[in-house]
Amino acid sequence: MDTPHILVVDDEQKTVELVAELLERHHMRVYSANSVSEAEASLNEHQIDLIVLDVMMPGEDGVSFCRRLRQESTIPILMLSAMGDDIDRIIGLEMGADDYLAKPFNPRELIARIRTILRRAPSVEQIEQFDKQVFYAFNQFTLNPDTRTLQEDGSIVELTSGEFAVLLALVERAPRILSRDQLLEYSRGAAANPFDRSIDTHISRLRSKLEKNTRRPELIKTVRNLGYAFAATVEKVSE
């Protein structure tokens, strides 16, 4: 991606300006908004590749906007919050955010997380080439690592880029047991935080989309005290 288009949404104008200056120094094009209504107007006007979204804003907050946006779009979302509480991070991820970063943040970490998310997100051109790629088949699903898409009986299953990265890590290494730290490393690379516990949230959301019975999962198994394993038979297909 030559010039990523980033939408920064925060009611604090100084924060918007600081983030915008940082991203522009790293060759990203930035659009800004100080409210959800301004963000929606920008999304309607521009092709946005990723949203940096503040949690606490007057009027509609970032969590509510993230939840609404996830009902109609898979655009990557990185949430920012001054609170930095585990509960806030989990809520944001459960609403569909791809990643979460507490304020104040290290500028290099923000850039690393944005780049990681963008690498995981598919482009329109990639999605159109779905049938020409190498993919993994299991049960009624097909998982394409090149286009970052998952299909169930030919229909797209909407996943955030974070959910997809975790699923791909499990499928590529099935039936190997992966610890939470290993899943973080495989799905986030250099942006992984050893204290991050978002893997459990991603697993829960994946099960809600893939499993017939989330109380008795057949695809993603929990291995007590060890981590998770992908239990289905996986076939690597090339076309």
Side-chain angles (χ1 to χ4, degrees), residues 8 18 57 113 119 138 143 145 160 166 187 192 199 204 208 215 220 228-229:
V8 180
L18 287 172
M57 292 187 293
R113 287 178 181 266
R119 283 196 296 268
F138 54 92
L143 184 73
T160 66
V166 171
S187 62
I199 290 298
S204 177
S208 70
R215 294 186 177 182
I220 304 175
Y228 298 100

Side-chain angles (χ1 to χ4, degrees), residues 53-88:
L53 178 62
D54 186 41
V55 171
M56 300 299 293
M57 292 187 293
E60 185 175 8
D61 62 24
V63 172
S64 173
F65 181 45
C66 179
R67 181 176 59 246
R68 286 200 300 109
L69 195 60
R70 272 294 164 263
Q71 295 174 355
E72 58 189 39
S73 171
T74 59
I75 184 171
I77 298 173
L78 171 61
M79 299 197 78
L80 299 179
S81 173
M83 293 182 287
D85 193 347
D86 281 346
I87 294 178
D88 298 306

